[in-house]
Protein backbone atom coordinates (compact mmCIF):
# COMPACT_ATOMS: atom_id res chain seq x y z
CA UNK A 1 0.00 0.00 0.00
CA UNK A 2 1.33 3.45 -0.94
CA UNK A 3 2.00 5.96 1.84
CA UNK A 4 -0.81 8.47 2.32
CA UNK A 5 1.38 11.39 1.30
CA UNK A 6 2.53 9.65 -1.89
CA UNK A 7 -1.08 8.90 -2.81
CA UNK A 8 -1.73 12.64 -2.60
CA UNK A 9 1.41 13.60 -4.52
CA UNK A 10 0.58 11.56 -7.63
CA UNK A 11 -2.49 13.62 -8.67
CA UNK A 12 -0.69 16.82 -7.62
CA UNK A 13 2.19 15.83 -9.86
CA UNK A 14 -0.18 15.67 -12.83
CA UNK A 15 -1.29 19.23 -12.07
CA UNK A 16 2.31 20.39 -11.88
CA UNK A 17 3.13 18.66 -15.18
CA UNK A 18 0.20 20.42 -16.80
CA UNK A 19 1.38 23.80 -15.56
CA UNK A 20 -1.61 24.17 -13.22
CA UNK A 21 -1.86 25.18 -9.59
CA UNK A 22 -3.48 23.53 -6.59
CA UNK A 23 -4.71 24.46 -3.11
CA UNK A 24 -5.95 21.65 -0.88
CA UNK A 25 -5.99 20.54 2.77
CA UNK A 26 -4.03 17.59 4.13
CA UNK A 27 -5.81 14.92 6.15
CA UNK A 28 -4.78 13.61 9.55
CA UNK A 29 -3.25 10.58 7.80
CA UNK A 30 -1.07 12.80 5.63
CA UNK A 31 -0.03 15.04 8.55
CA UNK A 32 -0.26 13.30 11.91
CA UNK A 33 -0.73 15.13 15.20
CA UNK A 34 2.90 14.40 16.02
CA UNK A 35 4.08 16.10 12.82
CA UNK A 36 1.68 19.00 13.32
CA UNK A 37 2.93 19.55 16.86
CA UNK A 38 6.48 19.79 15.49
CA UNK A 39 5.33 22.47 13.06
CA UNK A 40 3.63 24.36 15.90
CA UNK A 41 6.42 24.11 18.48
CA UNK A 42 8.09 27.36 17.28
CA UNK A 43 4.70 29.08 17.68
CA UNK A 44 4.38 27.89 21.27
CA UNK A 45 8.00 28.90 21.96
CA UNK A 46 7.28 32.39 20.63
CA UNK A 47 9.77 32.01 17.78
CA UNK A 48 7.24 31.86 14.92
CA UNK A 49 5.28 34.98 14.03
CA UNK A 50 1.68 34.47 12.94
CA UNK A 51 -0.12 36.29 10.16
CA UNK A 52 -3.70 37.31 10.91
CA UNK A 53 -6.19 36.58 8.13
CA UNK A 54 -9.24 38.79 7.92
CA UNK A 55 -12.05 39.87 5.66
CA UNK A 56 -11.54 43.58 5.12
CA UNK A 57 -15.20 44.14 4.27
CA UNK A 58 -16.54 42.32 7.35
CA UNK A 59 -17.66 43.96 10.55
CA UNK A 60 -15.36 44.17 13.55
CA UNK A 61 -16.67 41.00 15.21
CA UNK A 62 -16.13 38.73 12.19
CA UNK A 63 -13.22 40.53 10.56
CA UNK A 64 -10.43 38.32 11.90
CA UNK A 65 -11.13 34.74 10.88
CA UNK A 66 -7.83 32.91 11.29
CA UNK A 67 -4.08 33.17 11.71
CA UNK A 68 -1.19 31.09 10.54
CA UNK A 69 2.21 30.83 8.94
CA UNK A 70 3.81 28.92 6.12
CA UNK A 71 6.83 26.78 5.38
CA UNK A 72 8.32 25.68 2.08
CA UNK A 73 9.31 22.13 1.14
CA UNK A 74 10.68 20.49 -2.00
CA UNK A 75 9.03 17.35 -3.37
CA UNK A 76 11.22 14.92 -5.27
CA UNK A 77 9.68 11.92 -7.02
CA UNK A 78 11.34 9.44 -9.34
CA UNK A 79 9.11 7.98 -12.08
CA UNK A 80 10.52 5.62 -14.71
CA UNK A 81 14.04 6.69 -13.86
CA UNK A 82 13.21 10.40 -14.20
CA UNK A 83 13.49 12.65 -11.17
CA UNK A 84 10.79 15.29 -10.85
CA UNK A 85 10.84 18.01 -8.21
CA UNK A 86 8.79 21.09 -7.41
CA UNK A 87 8.46 23.61 -4.61
CA UNK A 88 5.38 23.48 -2.37
CA UNK A 89 4.15 25.83 0.33
CA UNK A 90 2.60 24.34 3.44
CA UNK A 91 0.11 26.73 5.02
CA UNK A 92 -0.40 25.99 8.71
CA UNK A 93 -3.63 27.78 9.58
CA UNK A 94 -5.77 28.04 12.72
CA UNK A 95 -9.46 28.83 12.36
CA UNK A 96 -10.74 30.90 15.27
CA UNK A 97 -14.30 29.62 14.84
CA UNK A 98 -13.28 25.96 14.74
CA UNK A 99 -10.94 26.39 17.70
CA UNK A 100 -13.66 28.03 19.81
CA UNK A 101 -16.24 25.36 18.97
CA UNK A 102 -13.79 22.48 19.50
CA UNK A 103 -12.68 23.84 22.88
CA UNK A 104 -16.30 24.19 23.98
CA UNK A 105 -16.99 20.55 23.05
CA UNK A 106 -13.80 19.45 24.81
CA UNK A 107 -14.84 21.19 28.03
CA UNK A 108 -18.27 19.57 27.80
CA UNK A 109 -16.72 16.10 27.39
CA UNK A 110 -14.44 16.70 30.36
CA UNK A 111 -17.41 17.70 32.55
CA UNK A 112 -19.39 14.64 31.46
CA UNK A 113 -16.40 12.47 32.36
CA UNK A 114 -16.20 14.07 35.82
CA UNK A 115 -19.91 13.45 36.40
CA UNK A 116 -19.67 9.82 35.30
CA UNK A 117 -16.64 9.10 37.51
CA UNK A 118 -18.33 10.73 40.49
CA UNK A 119 -21.37 8.51 39.98
CA UNK A 120 -19.15 5.44 40.31
CA UNK A 121 -18.45 6.36 43.91
CA UNK A 122 -22.15 6.59 44.81
CA UNK A 123 -23.60 3.24 46.02
CA UNK A 124 -27.09 2.54 44.74
CA UNK A 125 -29.56 -0.26 45.17
CA UNK A 126 -29.60 -2.52 42.13
CA UNK A 127 -26.27 -1.17 40.97
CA UNK A 128 -23.60 -3.75 40.19
CA UNK A 129 -20.96 -3.84 42.89
CA UNK A 130 -17.40 -3.75 41.59
CA UNK A 131 -15.45 -6.37 43.50
CA UNK A 132 -11.97 -6.20 41.97
CA UNK A 133 -9.35 -3.62 41.04
CA UNK A 134 -9.53 -4.79 37.42
CA UNK A 135 -13.30 -4.12 37.24
CA UNK A 136 -12.81 -0.61 38.56
CA UNK A 137 -10.02 0.01 36.09
CA UNK A 138 -12.03 -1.30 33.13
CA UNK A 139 -15.13 0.79 33.86
CA UNK A 140 -13.01 3.95 34.32
CA UNK A 141 -11.31 3.32 30.99
CA UNK A 142 -14.71 2.75 29.37
CA UNK A 143 -15.89 6.16 30.61
CA UNK A 144 -12.75 7.89 29.35
CA UNK A 145 -13.13 6.21 25.96
CA UNK A 146 -16.82 7.06 25.76
CA UNK A 147 -16.20 10.79 26.16
CA UNK A 148 -12.85 10.76 24.31
CA UNK A 149 -10.94 12.10 27.29
CA UNK A 150 -8.26 9.43 27.59
CA UNK A 151 -5.01 11.00 28.74
CA UNK A 152 -6.77 14.03 30.24
CA UNK A 153 -7.39 12.49 33.68
CA UNK A 154 -5.23 11.04 36.42
CA UNK A 155 -7.19 8.17 37.95
CA UNK A 156 -6.15 6.38 41.12
CA UNK A 157 -7.90 3.31 42.55
CA UNK A 158 -6.88 2.41 46.09
CA UNK A 159 -7.59 -1.03 47.51
CA UNK A 160 -8.41 -1.21 51.19
CA UNK A 161 -8.34 -4.44 53.15
CA UNK A 162 -9.78 -4.54 56.67
CA UNK A 163 -9.87 -7.57 58.95
CA UNK A 164 -12.98 -7.91 61.09
CA UNK A 165 -14.19 -10.43 63.60
CA UNK A 166 -17.34 -12.18 62.48
CA UNK A 167 -19.42 -13.13 65.49
CA UNK A 168 -20.39 -16.66 66.28
CA UNK A 169 -23.80 -17.63 64.87
CA UNK A 170 -25.53 -20.83 65.84
CA UNK A 171 -23.22 -23.69 64.88
CA UNK A 172 -20.76 -21.37 63.08
CA UNK A 173 -17.85 -20.36 65.30
CA UNK A 174 -16.50 -16.82 65.46
CA UNK A 175 -13.85 -16.07 62.86
CA UNK A 176 -11.75 -13.33 61.34
CA UNK A 177 -12.73 -12.24 57.81
CA UNK A 178 -11.11 -9.78 55.43
CA UNK A 179 -13.27 -7.13 53.79
CA UNK A 180 -12.05 -5.48 50.60
CA UNK A 181 -13.18 -2.03 49.48
CA UNK A 182 -12.03 0.41 46.82
CA UNK A 183 -11.57 4.16 46.83
CA UNK A 184 -11.64 6.02 43.53
CA UNK A 185 -9.92 9.38 43.21
CA UNK A 186 -9.22 11.38 40.07
CA UNK A 187 -8.20 14.81 38.86
CA UNK A 188 -8.03 16.59 35.55
CA UNK A 189 -4.56 16.70 34.03
CA UNK A 190 -4.48 20.43 33.27
CA UNK A 191 -1.20 20.23 31.37
CA UNK A 192 -2.64 17.56 29.05
CA UNK A 193 -5.81 19.64 28.55
CA UNK A 194 -3.72 22.71 27.72
CA UNK A 195 -1.65 20.71 25.24
CA UNK A 196 -4.78 19.44 23.51
CA UNK A 197 -6.35 22.91 23.37
CA UNK A 198 -3.18 24.20 21.71
CA UNK A 199 -3.78 21.76 18.83
CA UNK A 200 -7.40 22.71 18.23
CA UNK A 201 -8.37 24.56 15.07
CA UNK A 202 -5.07 23.95 13.25
CA UNK A 203 -4.89 22.41 9.78
CA UNK A 204 -2.29 22.17 7.04
CA UNK A 205 -3.02 23.26 3.47
CA UNK A 206 -0.67 22.98 0.50
CA UNK A 207 -0.24 24.94 -2.71
CA UNK A 208 2.38 25.24 -5.43
CA UNK A 209 1.44 28.82 -6.23
CA UNK A 210 4.29 31.24 -5.51
CA UNK A 211 3.94 33.54 -2.53
CA UNK A 212 4.33 36.67 -4.66
CA UNK A 213 1.27 35.64 -6.67
CA UNK A 214 -0.77 34.01 -3.92
CA UNK A 215 -0.20 35.23 -0.36
CA UNK A 216 -1.24 33.38 2.77
CA UNK A 217 -4.24 35.68 3.22
CA UNK A 218 -5.30 35.21 -0.40
CA UNK A 219 -4.99 31.42 -0.12
CA UNK A 220 -7.20 31.25 2.98
CA UNK A 221 -9.82 33.52 1.47
CA UNK A 222 -9.76 31.53 -1.79
CA UNK A 223 -10.32 28.26 0.06
CA UNK A 224 -13.17 29.70 2.11
CA UNK A 225 -14.86 30.94 -1.07
CA UNK A 226 -14.52 27.51 -2.71
CA UNK A 227 -17.95 26.59 -1.35
CA UNK A 228 -19.56 29.24 -3.52
CA UNK A 229 -18.25 27.55 -6.64
CA UNK A 230 -19.00 24.01 -5.46
CA UNK A 231 -22.54 24.97 -4.51
CA UNK A 232 -23.13 26.18 -8.08
CA UNK A 233 -21.86 22.91 -9.54
CA UNK A 234 -24.04 20.97 -7.11
CA UNK A 235 -27.08 22.90 -8.32
CA UNK A 236 -26.08 22.26 -11.92
CA UNK A 237 -25.78 18.51 -11.42
CA UNK A 238 -28.71 18.07 -9.05
CA UNK A 239 -31.83 20.02 -8.07
CA UNK A 240 -33.01 22.41 -9.43
CA UNK A 241 -31.18 22.28 -12.79
CA UNK A 242 -30.73 18.47 -12.85
CA UNK A 243 -28.02 18.01 -15.45
CA UNK A 244 -27.62 14.42 -14.30
CA UNK A 245 -28.68 11.85 -15.22
CA UNK A 246 -28.31 12.77 -18.88
CA UNK A 247 -30.31 10.82 -21.46
CA UNK A 248 -29.01 12.58 -24.59
CA UNK A 249 -26.84 10.75 -27.15
CA UNK A 250 -25.77 13.38 -29.66
CA UNK A 251 -22.80 15.52 -28.66
CA UNK A 252 -24.28 18.73 -30.04
CA UNK A 253 -27.42 18.14 -27.96
CA UNK A 254 -25.28 17.50 -24.86
CA UNK A 255 -23.24 20.65 -25.49
CA UNK A 256 -26.38 22.70 -26.04
CA UNK A 257 -28.02 21.42 -22.84
CA UNK A 258 -24.93 22.16 -20.74
CA UNK A 259 -24.71 25.68 -22.16
CA UNK A 260 -28.40 26.32 -21.58
CA UNK A 261 -28.29 25.07 -17.99
CA UNK A 262 -25.10 27.07 -17.36
CA UNK A 263 -26.98 30.21 -18.38
CA UNK A 264 -29.81 29.16 -16.07
CA UNK A 265 -27.32 28.71 -13.21
CA UNK A 266 -25.95 32.22 -13.74
CA UNK A 267 -29.44 33.71 -13.77
CA UNK A 268 -30.36 31.76 -10.61
CA UNK A 269 -27.26 32.97 -8.77
CA UNK A 270 -27.86 36.54 -9.91
CA UNK A 271 -31.46 36.45 -8.70
CA UNK A 272 -30.41 35.00 -5.38
CA UNK A 273 -27.74 37.67 -4.93
CA UNK A 274 -30.18 40.45 -5.75
CA UNK A 275 -32.83 39.10 -3.35
CA UNK A 276 -30.29 38.72 -0.54
CA UNK A 277 -28.93 42.22 -1.19
CA UNK A 278 -32.40 43.76 -1.05
CA UNK A 279 -33.32 41.84 2.11
CA UNK A 280 -30.25 43.16 3.86
CA UNK A 281 -30.83 46.67 2.56
CA UNK A 282 -34.45 46.73 3.75
CA UNK A 283 -33.62 44.73 6.91
CA UNK A 284 -36.31 42.19 6.08
CA UNK A 285 -36.53 38.42 6.22
CA UNK A 286 -38.03 35.82 3.91
CA UNK A 287 -40.12 32.82 5.02
CA UNK A 288 -41.18 29.61 3.30
CA UNK A 289 -37.73 28.53 2.09
CA UNK A 290 -37.12 25.62 4.47
CA UNK A 291 -38.81 22.29 3.88
CA UNK A 292 -40.79 21.20 6.92
CA UNK A 293 -40.48 24.58 8.61
CA UNK A 294 -42.49 27.10 6.58
CA UNK A 295 -42.44 29.75 9.32
CA UNK A 296 -38.66 29.89 9.57
CA UNK A 297 -37.31 33.20 8.26
CA UNK A 298 -33.92 34.14 6.90
CA UNK A 299 -32.11 37.04 5.27
CA UNK A 300 -29.10 34.89 4.38
CA UNK A 301 -30.61 32.26 2.07
CA UNK A 302 -27.90 30.92 -0.15
CA UNK A 303 -25.06 32.47 1.80
CA UNK A 304 -22.40 30.12 3.01
CA UNK A 305 -21.70 29.38 6.65
CA UNK A 306 -18.06 30.13 7.34
CA UNK A 307 -17.81 28.36 10.69
CA UNK A 308 -16.61 25.05 9.26
CA UNK A 309 -13.90 26.31 6.91
CA UNK A 310 -10.37 27.56 7.34
Amino acid sequence: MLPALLVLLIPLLELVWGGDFYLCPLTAKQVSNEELSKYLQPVWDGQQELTTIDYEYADAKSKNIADGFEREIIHEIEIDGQEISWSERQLIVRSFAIQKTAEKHLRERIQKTVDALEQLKVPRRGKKKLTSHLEWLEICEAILNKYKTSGLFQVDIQTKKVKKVQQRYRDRPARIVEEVSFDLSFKIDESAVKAQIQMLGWRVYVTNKHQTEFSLKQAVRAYRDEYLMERGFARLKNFPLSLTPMYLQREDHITGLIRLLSIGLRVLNLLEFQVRHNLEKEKEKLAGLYVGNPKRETARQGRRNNSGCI
Side-chain angles (χ1 to χ4, degrees), residues 146-186:
K146 178 181 179 180
Y147 296 111
K148 299 179 182 180
T149 51
S150 296
L152 302 182
F153 282 81
Q154 296 176 358
V155 178
D156 184 33
I157 303 171
Q158 295 289 336
T159 303
K160 290 185 177 181
K161 296 181 179 180
V162 179
K163 291 184 178 180
K164 291 185 177 181
V165 177
Q166 190 176 66
Q167 299 295 329
R168 176 177 175 274
Y169 180 72
R170 293 186 178 182
D171 296 334
R172 187 185 67 190
R175 57 178 180 170
I176 297 176
V177 296
E178 186 179 68
E179 291 186 356
V180 180
S181 62
F182 300 90
D183 284 339
L184 170 65
S185 62
F186 62 89

Side-chain angles (χ1 to χ4, degrees), residues 217-230:
K217 287 186 178 182
Q218 290 173 323
V220 172
R221 291 169 180 171
Y223 190 83
R224 288 174 67 89
D225 290 339
E226 177 190 14
Y227 176 85
L228 300 175
M229 183 182 300
E230 293 298 329

Side-chain angles (χ1 to χ4, degrees), residues 94-142:
R94 171 176 56 186
S95 166
F96 297 150
I98 293 178
Q99 181 190 38
K100 183 178 179 180
T101 301
E103 183 175 351
K104 177 185 176 183
H105 292 164
L106 175 61
R107 298 291 185 186
E108 290 174 350
R109 297 201 311 272
I110 290 175
Q111 186 58 51
K112 289 180 180 179
T113 304
V114 170
D115 295 340
L117 291 176
E118 287 289 353
Q119 287 298 316
L120 287 180
K121 300 190 291 184
V122 180
R124 289 183 179 178
R125 180 177 298 179
K127 182 179 177 180
K128 180 183 177 181
K129 186 177 181 180
L130 304 177
T131 58
S132 69
H133 186 276
L134 180 60
E135 287 183 335
W136 277 90
L137 188 61
E138 287 178 345
I139 196 168
C140 288
E141 289 180 351

Side-chain angles (χ1 to χ4, degrees), residues 11 43 50 54 63 70-71 82 124 131 144 153 167 182 197 202 221 245 250 254 262 266 282 293 297 302:
V43 176
L50 298 177
D54 57 12
K63 185 175 181 180
E70 60 180 88
R71 58 195 297 269
Q82 180 183 1
R124 289 183 179 178
T131 58
L144 295 177
F153 282 81
Q167 299 295 329
F182 300 90
I197 290 176
W202 289 98
R221 291 169 180 171
R250 287 175 47 177
I254 294 173
S262 297
R266 295 181 183 183
E282 301 296 332
N293 192 357
E297 297 180 337

